[in-house]
Amino acid sequence: MGAYIVKRLISAIPVLFGITVIVFLIMAMIPGDPATAILGSYATPENVEKLNRDLGLDKPMVQRYFIWLGNMLTGDFGRSFSLNRPVLDEILERFSATLILAGVSFVLCSLLGILAGVVSAARQYGFADKAITFTVLIGISVPSFFLGMMMILLFAVKLRWLPVSGMYAIYGGGDLPDLIYHLIMPALALAAVATGVVARLSRSAMLEVLRQDYIRTARAKGVPEGRVIYGHALRAAMVSIIPVLGIQAGFVLSGAVYIEMVFQWPGIGRMLVDAILKRDILLVQGGVVFVAGCYVLFNIAVDVAQGLLDPRIKT
């Protein structure tokens, strides 16, 4: 297993390198002069030239890329001009909020999706199967940001059960109950689509396993149905379900961007949107690379978990 983990880590290096190239090129090819956009009404020729020199924008593109890449490898992501603080400090501070939102949403979509898929497969063509399938199709069809706005309209504006936005109350609060109170709507909105996808694929994986001979043998021997479903079938189906969870983790992490904007959640997604609007190049580049790196590491963890369940994958 140690050799397998090292192999997966090595294979992630070219992926991360490609991400840095793509992010840098996209930011470099944005029309307009970044220095002029940053300075606004203060964009005199002298100020533009000085800012270009301070940001390193007066150097060739290839040289700028390798300077930026070299600094990142030493832990220096640069300094945000709009916030006047190190980029890495801002990313780590914002990422903690995103990690709470995405983490809770991922746990919800994993548990609810797998449970719905198992129940649906165990009651194939029954009322529970049809009800779950109908609910799942609705969940997959409705975009997360639209669902979030409808939840705000119903639960915050009409019923006044939950807060409209933010991570904590403006006055007072700041404790765990206050966080959970503010987390309910954005976490559910973000988890809705992923839950539907996990449920459908979990159902398919479970149905395939339930048709196997050893499942029929276990039932013929009088093994309790609950043990057959959750002790034998689900464990075998998890080999197919775990890769789906890895994909949905990326969806949840990327979907946090617009959910954070809808609910004004102070995470890295909202930070990136603000940085793009302000043309804060180093903050955008650092934020995207950091999130992409987290996604790659999570996928490696998923591969390792899949290898533990099915040792044949490591060969």
Side-chain angles (χ1 to χ4, degrees):
M1 179 56 73
Y4 177 70
I5 295 175
V6 172
K7 180 181 177 182
R8 292 293 291 114
L9 289 173
I10 293 175
S11 66
I13 295 176
V15 175
L16 293 174
F17 177 76
I19 291 171
T20 62
V21 173
I22 293 172
V23 171
F24 183 84
L25 288 178
I26 290 175
M27 294 305 298
M29 291 188 297
I30 293 178
D33 181 17
T36 303
I38 292 170
L39 291 171
S41 59
Y42 299 96
T44 62
E46 295 78 11
N47 290 338
V48 170
E49 181 181 357
K50 182 179 183 302
L51 184 58
N52 280 326
R53 186 168 58 252
D54 293 341
L55 296 177
L57 298 175
D58 56 337
K59 297 181 176 64
M61 183 184 298
V62 176
Q63 185 179 354
R64 297 205 315 265
Y65 168 75
F66 282 105
I67 292 174
W68 172 65
L69 181 62
N71 290 336
M72 275 206 309
L73 291 176
T74 62
D76 180 12
F77 280 56
R79 192 173 186 86
S80 166
F81 76 87
S82 62
L83 301 173
N84 194 27
R85 64 178 304 193
V87 168
L88 188 57
D89 291 349
E90 179 67 16
I91 290 174
L92 293 176
E93 181 179 314
R94 294 296 194 103
F95 188 69
S96 61
T98 297
L99 192 60
I100 292 172
L101 174 59
V104 172
S105 299
F106 178 72
V107 171
L108 285 175
C109 77
S110 300
L111 295 179
L112 296 177
I114 293 174
L115 180 61
V118 170
V119 173
S120 183
R123 304 287 188 270
Q124 188 180 15
Y125 305 128
F127 175 77
D129 183 22
K130 294 177 181 179
I132 290 173
T133 301
F134 178 74
T135 305
V136 162
L137 287 175
I138 294 178
I140 293 176
S141 304
V142 179
S144 296
F145 66 89
F146 179 77
L147 178 61
M149 291 188 289
M150 293 301 100
M151 292 175 71
I152 290 175
L153 183 62
L154 176 61
F155 296 110
V157 178
K158 295 289 185 181
L159 300 176
R160 298 186 179 182
W161 289 353
L162 297 169
V164 175
S165 62
M167 187 172 176
Y168 294 104
I170 299 177
Y171 301 105
D175 52 4
L176 182 60
D178 188 33
L179 173 62
I180 295 174
Y181 187 54
H182 285 76
L183 185 60
I184 294 173
M185 282 201 297
L188 290 175
L190 183 56
V193 175
T195 300
V197 174
V198 173
R200 293 195 66 179
L201 295 176
S202 297
R203 180 181 184 274
S204 300
M206 282 293 294
L207 288 175
E208 183 178 352
V209 172
L210 289 174
R211 297 189 186 103
Q212 300 299 315
D213 292 337
Y214 71 91
I215 297 295
R216 285 195 290 268
T217 301
R219 284 171 170 166
K221 291 171 64 177
V223 177
E225 186 66 14
R227 185 177 176 186
V228 171
I229 297 296
Y230 296 99
H232 298 287
L234 180 57
R235 182 175 180 180
M238 286 302 295
V239 176
S240 301
I241 295 174
I242 284 180
V244 178
L245 297 180
I247 295 173
Q248 294 311 304
F251 171 82
V252 168
L253 195 58
S254 60
V257 174
Y258 45 82
I259 289 297
E260 287 177 2
M261 293 303 297
V262 170
F263 290 95
Q264 293 299 296
W265 191 266
I268 200 168
R270 185 179 170 191
M271 179 204 76
L272 286 174
V273 173
D274 292 339
I276 291 171
L277 295 176
K278 296 176 181 177
R279 298 293 293 271
D280 197 334
I281 298 174
L282 292 178
L283 188 57
V284 174
Q285 293 177 173
V288 173
V289 171
F290 184 86
V291 172
C294 292
Y295 179 54
V296 169
L297 290 176
F298 186 85
N299 273 273
I300 292 175
V302 168
D303 291 342
V304 171
Q306 192 178 14
L308 291 173
L309 286 175
D310 187 357
R312 295 173 298 176
I313 296 175
K314 294 181 287 186
T315 58

